[in-house]
Amino acid sequence: MSISSRPGLLRDPDFGRLFAATALGQLGDRIIFLALPLVAVVTLNADEFQVGLLTAMTTAGSLFVGLPAGAWVDRMRKRSVMISTDLARAVVLLTIPVAWWSDLLTIWWLFTVALVHGVLTVFFDVAYVSYLPHLVGRDNLVEGNSKLSAIRSVTSISGPGMAGPLVGLLGAPATLLVSSAGMAMSGLLATGIRRREHKPESSERPQLLRDIKQGLKFVLKQPVLRATILGDALFNLFLVMYQTMLLVFLEREMGLGAFGIGLVLSGMGCGALLGALSAKKVSQRVGQGPVIWLAPLVTCPLTALMPFARPGWSVCVAAIGLAGLSLGGVVRVVAQSSLQQALTPDQLLGRMSATARFVSWGGIPLGGVLGGASGSVFGAAATLWIGTTGMTLSFLPNFLSPLRTMRTLPNERDPVPRTLRPRRRSAASRPRP
């Protein structure tokens, strides 16, 4: 069922509930982004390599369950998966302040929580991406993704802005109570969505390896999907290297406390919000394909401002560069997610999402380890330079694909837009023998 987008998707009660659940869940997630590394850096006095390893544990779930998650989610109701994983993540996060109060918290405890939380997040994200086309209809994918990206961007502003003072007042471990509450409320809100899916039916006996193979085959045979996933993989690898040392750089070399770091990250959220609000218009003006490769090419070099920074006003200028990175990243993700969803049949949405996540997120744990190792050997500033270079070069796979000139959104019945098809010559224009 397609919801009319003319009055706006927020007029639909079920989309409104998903919108509110996204806000609460993302608020908790943004607080985790700041508080969890600060638990390691400040509370446990972790070194650079341990911070990088913690980042790797947070995202290692994509490697462990990335491909099977898509096959499993395609055989379940996506809404139920989202609710159960949200509630489970809330319980897992709650163990950190409990362990801290009990004087049992160690770096290994953080590693375990990060790994379990990351595995649950894989299932949530696969179900979330697969559920949106069912809820809003394929005609409204760009608007739906834009609105959800907008609320995620708002939480990117408010989350670090809340987390900084909370960490200063309560300590990083206790701040994770707020994250746990946000996840729990997100799951409870999603239970109020009335538009239910039919349980996926299959006449064949479920076979995990066969289902995974079908998802891989579908993704790999599509040049556009291959390009977006490879570009994502390169971008994410170097982004995580950059982010792993960013907090270390700001805390130890710039001398910023939790509040100052929160303000810098909130600035990134401002850029993300502007990107979400403008994503639809930018895609229409630039073209659905070109915007995917132009966004990183234009905005990623701005992150080089950060390693140039020195304590004082130059940090504010560098923060503007991070806001530009977030703006371009959201514009790219909205266009890219809408394209991937439009190309994929309903019965393969979970496996497409999981395959894309497995490939594009598979390098994130490696990025965390490499970022930590590079920070230990070369220093945080040099690692930021490496991250900037790699993120900028991530535009190449998409630039060298049909996306270079693709201006319209394809679909699973017409995967190659007419603008990319070679024109058939008329009989009169054919060369005569």
Side-chain angles (χ1 to χ4, degrees):
M1 180 181 297
S2 178
I3 304 167
S4 173
S5 61
R6 190 173 297 275
L9 287 175
L10 289 176
R11 300 283 185 88
D12 179 75
D14 284 336
F15 183 80
R17 293 184 182 94
L18 178 65
F19 186 85
T22 300
L24 289 169
Q26 287 295 309
L27 180 62
D29 189 64
R30 289 295 87 192
I31 293 175
I32 294 170
F33 180 78
L34 177 61
L36 191 62
L38 286 179
V39 173
V41 173
V42 178
T43 305
L44 301 178
N45 199 28
D47 59 31
E48 285 84 353
F49 184 74
Q50 288 174 323
V51 174
L53 193 57
L54 178 63
T55 303
M57 290 293 103
T58 304
T59 54
S62 296
L63 290 177
F64 295 146
V65 298
L67 291 177
W72 286 326
V73 167
D74 272 339
R75 296 186 178 276
M76 294 184 281
R77 292 184 176 94
K78 281 70 173 176
R79 171 181 164 277
S80 300
V81 176
M82 291 162 54
I83 294 169
S84 59
T85 50
D86 255 345
L87 297 178
R89 289 190 294 174
V91 173
V92 169
L93 289 173
L94 190 61
T95 67
I96 293 179
V98 170
W100 177 58
W101 286 324
S102 305
D103 202 25
L104 297 173
L105 186 62
T106 65
I107 192 65
W108 292 102
W109 192 298
L110 282 189
F111 289 160
T112 303
V113 169
L115 179 60
V116 174
H117 182 273
V119 169
L120 293 169
T121 299
V122 171
F123 282 93
F124 176 87
D125 286 348
V126 169
Y128 187 86
V129 172
S130 307
Y131 185 61
L132 187 62
H134 165 80
L135 186 66
V136 305
R138 291 178 176 272
D139 293 340
N140 299 309
L141 284 174
V142 174
E143 182 187 355
N145 281 311
S146 296
K147 283 184 167 57
L148 294 175
S149 293
I151 192 58
R152 285 195 292 266
S153 302
V154 170
T155 58
S156 295
I157 301 170
S158 57
M162 289 177 56
L166 285 173
V167 169
L169 180 64
L170 305 175
T175 301
L176 290 171
L177 285 171
V178 180
S179 296
S180 177
M183 295 288 181
M185 293 175 67
S186 172
L188 293 175
L189 262 176
T191 62
I193 297 176
R194 294 192 299 267
R195 187 177 290 109
R196 308 293 174 86
E197 311 157 85
H198 295 294
K199 186 174 181 179
E201 298 180 0
S202 177
S203 58
E204 302 176 358
R205 185 178 179 180
Q207 295 181 19
L208 184 61
L209 291 179
R210 182 201 64 202
D211 291 347
I212 291 173
K213 183 178 178 181
Q214 287 177 345
L216 281 168
K217 184 178 179 180
F218 173 77
V219 169
L220 294 178
K221 77 176 184 179
Q222 295 275 3
V224 169
L225 293 181
R226 287 200 310 266
T228 57
I229 292 171
L230 180 57
D232 247 3
L234 291 173
F235 178 83
N236 289 334
L237 171 68
F238 289 100
L239 174 65
V240 171
M241 287 187 66
Y242 190 98
Q243 288 179 331
T244 299
M245 285 300 103
L246 177 61
L247 293 181
V248 175
F249 180 81
L250 292 173
E251 202 271 339
R252 293 180 178 170
E253 298 192 27
M254 296 295 101
L256 296 182
F259 182 73
I261 295 174
L263 288 179
V264 172
L265 298 181
S266 294
M268 294 180 67
C270 292
L273 176 60
L274 182 59
L277 295 176
S278 60
K280 186 175 181 180
K281 290 184 178 179
V282 172
S283 295
Q284 291 172 343
R285 181 175 293 273
V286 177
Q288 194 75 25
V291 75
I292 294 175
W293 61 265
L294 275 171
L297 180 62
V298 172
T299 60
C300 289
L302 298 175
T303 58
L305 293 171
M306 184 57 72
F308 273 125
R310 297 294 180 268
W313 64 269
S314 61
V315 178
C316 299
V317 178
I320 296 174
L322 296 182
L325 173 70
S326 296
L327 187 155
V330 171
V331 169
R332 176 182 62 85
V333 167
V334 168
Q336 183 171 289
S337 299
S338 303
L339 183 144
Q340 290 172 341
Q341 291 164 339
L343 273 173
T344 308
D346 289 342
Q347 67 272 19
L348 285 171
L349 276 168
R351 278 166 282 180
M352 180 280 296
S353 176
T355 302
R357 186 186 178 97
F358 177 78
V359 177
S360 62
W361 285 50
I364 290 181
L366 177 62
V369 174
L370 289 177
S374 176
S376 298
V377 175
F378 304 113
T383 304
L384 296 182
W385 275 109
I386 296 171
T388 293
T389 303
M391 285 188 289
T392 303
L393 293 176
S394 69
F395 85 97
L396 285 172
N398 292 312
F399 177 77
L400 299 175
S401 77
L403 288 170
R404 185 170 64 254
T405 55
M406 181 185 291
R407 299 192 60 84
T408 58
L409 194 67
N411 57 65
E412 80 270 18
R413 295 180 300 276
D414 185 22
V416 181
R418 293 175 181 173
T419 54
L420 293 183
R421 293 177 181 171
R423 294 182 179 179
R424 294 183 180 179
R425 290 182 295 180
S426 64
S429 64
R430 292 173 186 166
R432 295 181 180 179

